[in-house]
């Protein structure tokens, strides 16, 4: 199985390919859809991050603004007041790589200065394009996510991915971001309004390999899993793990999840199967 090195800020890296990488979700927000308010205080957030690391997370993704549909916008100042103390505390511990979930250039720059290694932009560099310059200038890893929000999507789910992410990659390259800093995320649930659209994206996920970049899957607790299973958001861990296995077998390398332990176990089996397939080919 091909391994690819993802270069990150502060001289760090991750080797992607041979083994699934878990990215633990840490929402330091009062209103996120499944865990809002649980980790607002920095000490609560740090304790949760340490739990996720103990369960196997390699990266902690810290977000200070809810991305659920209809969530109220927050100011840059509020976002930074939420995420920067947590990032500084986690950087001081040195237990995991740190990602900041933001679309704002200023927040990204301050977060990397505080110790973050990765910038994760859910608007795919297309809301504040100068965020790409932060990655280029700091050497941060960059997660570029697809979204269908605030625009007219193409009818074919993969054609829309290629169209949107192609524009994002142009922004990254014009800004000087090296290819070995980039991971792509197809943005499950982000203006994919029906279970069918998300399931179609899962079924055709391997087609995204034509873009030539490592892929991150972010299905955790999403509404389409609730539609399929009938479970409330907090009870979708097993459903999420099932999607993680499917997407691992279709080419995903990183998995952004709330429930680390169950996804670690599920992906360990998927990794073992992929290793056997490689030896048998």
């Amino acid at each position: 199985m091909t391994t690819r090195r993802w270069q990150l800020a502060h001289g760090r890296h991750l080797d992607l390919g041979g083994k699934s990488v878990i990215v633990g979700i840490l929402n330091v927000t009062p209103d996120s859809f499944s865990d809002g308010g649980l980790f607002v205080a920095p000490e609560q957030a740090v304790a949760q991050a340490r739990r996720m690391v103990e369960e196997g997370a390699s990266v902690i993704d810290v977000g200070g603004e809810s991305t659920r549909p209809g969530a109220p916008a927050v100011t840059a100042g509020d976002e930074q007041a939420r995420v920067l103390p947590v990032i500084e505390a986690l950087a001081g511990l040195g237990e995991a790589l740190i990602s900041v979930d933001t679309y704002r250039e200023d927040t990204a720059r301050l977060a990397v200065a505080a110790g973050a290694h990765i910038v994760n932009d859910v608007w795919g560099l297309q809301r504040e394009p100068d965020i790409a310059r932060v990655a280029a200038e700091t050497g941060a890893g960059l997660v570029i996510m697809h979204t269908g929000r605030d625009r007219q999507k193409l009818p074919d789910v993969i054609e829309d991915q290629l169209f949107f992410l192609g524009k994002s990659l142009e922004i990254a390259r014009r800004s000087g971001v090296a290819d070995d800093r980039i991971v792509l995320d197809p943005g499950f649930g982000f203006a994919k309004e029906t279970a069918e659209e998300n399931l179609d994206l899962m079924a055709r996920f391997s087609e995204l390999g034509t873009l030539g970049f490592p892929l991150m899957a972010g299905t955790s607790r999403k509404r389409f899993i609730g539609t399929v299973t009938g479970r409330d958001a907090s009870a979708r861990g097993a459903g999420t793990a099932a999607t993680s296995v499917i997407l691992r077998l279709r080419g995903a390398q990183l998995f952004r999840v709330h429930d680390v332990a169950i996804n670690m176990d599920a992906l360990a089996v998927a990794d073992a199967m992929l290793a056997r397939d490689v030896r048998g080919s």
Side-chain angles (χ1 to χ4, degrees):
M1 186 180 300
T2 302
T3 300
R4 183 165 179 170
R5 179 155 290 184
W6 188 21
Q7 300 290 350
L8 311 175
H10 310 300
R12 301 292 297 275
H13 69 267
L14 263 176
D15 288 329
L16 305 175
K19 184 178 179 181
S20 301
V21 173
I22 295 285
V23 179
I25 298 170
L26 185 60
N27 291 318
V28 290
T29 57
D31 57 348
S32 290
F33 77 97
S34 70
D35 58 0
L38 295 180
F39 312 116
V40 173
E43 60 271 19
Q44 295 172 322
V46 171
Q48 173 64 2
R50 300 191 78 175
R51 281 191 290 270
M52 290 192 287
V53 171
E54 288 171 4
E55 292 176 353
S58 300
V59 182
I60 301 298
D61 188 42
V62 184
E65 180 173 0
S66 175
T67 56
R68 65 177 173 80
V74 302
T75 67
D78 285 344
E79 179 189 41
Q80 291 158 17
R82 293 171 180 175
V83 301
L84 294 179
V86 176
I87 290 169
E88 289 173 354
L90 294 177
L93 292 172
E95 294 178 349
L97 295 167
I98 306 163
S99 170
V100 60
D101 181 352
T102 186
Y103 60 85
R104 292 184 174 94
E105 174 196 2
D106 288 346
T107 300
R109 191 177 297 280
L110 290 169
V112 176
H117 306 91
I118 299 161
V119 175
N120 177 17
D121 183 1
V122 300
W123 286 91
L125 315 181
Q126 296 188 38
R127 187 156 175 180
E128 290 196 15
D130 281 346
I131 196 171
R133 288 198 304 108
V134 176
E137 292 167 6
T138 64
L142 184 61
V143 179
I144 300 173
M145 198 193 80
H146 173 281
T147 184
R149 293 181 180 175
D150 295 347
R151 66 182 180 86
Q152 185 68 40
K153 294 187 298 180
L154 298 175
D156 182 86
V157 66
I158 296 299
E159 286 183 8
D160 194 70
Q161 290 278 330
L162 300 179
F163 170 76
F164 181 89
L165 292 172
K167 291 177 65 176
S168 296
L169 288 168
E170 288 178 9
I171 294 169
R173 286 164 176 156
R174 285 200 307 268
S175 300
V177 181
D179 284 358
D180 62 1
R181 304 278 169 180
I182 296 173
V183 163
L184 303 180
D185 179 345
F188 285 96
F190 281 76
K192 289 83 172 170
E193 303 298 346
T194 65
E196 290 76 16
E197 187 174 0
N198 287 279
L199 293 169
D200 286 348
L201 180 55
M202 284 183 59
R204 298 178 62 188
F205 189 87
S206 60
E207 295 178 46
L208 298 176
T210 60
L211 288 164
F213 291 89
L215 299 169
M216 183 163 77
T219 59
S220 189
R221 301 183 182 178
K222 292 293 175 72
R223 183 174 57 185
F224 81 93
I225 296 175
T227 300
V228 172
T229 63
R231 300 283 187 182
D232 291 336
S234 62
R236 295 174 188 164
T240 298
T243 67
S244 294
V245 169
I246 293 166
L247 292 166
R248 177 60 172 152
L249 298 178
R250 283 167 165 76
Q253 291 104 337
L254 301 102
F255 301 84
R256 185 178 179 274
V257 301
H258 300 84
D259 305 293
V260 172
I262 191 171
N263 281 276
M264 281 291 297
D265 287 353
L267 287 165
V269 177
D271 287 346
M273 286 301 299
L274 287 171
R276 289 191 68 81
D277 286 346
V278 169
R279 287 200 295 270
S281 60

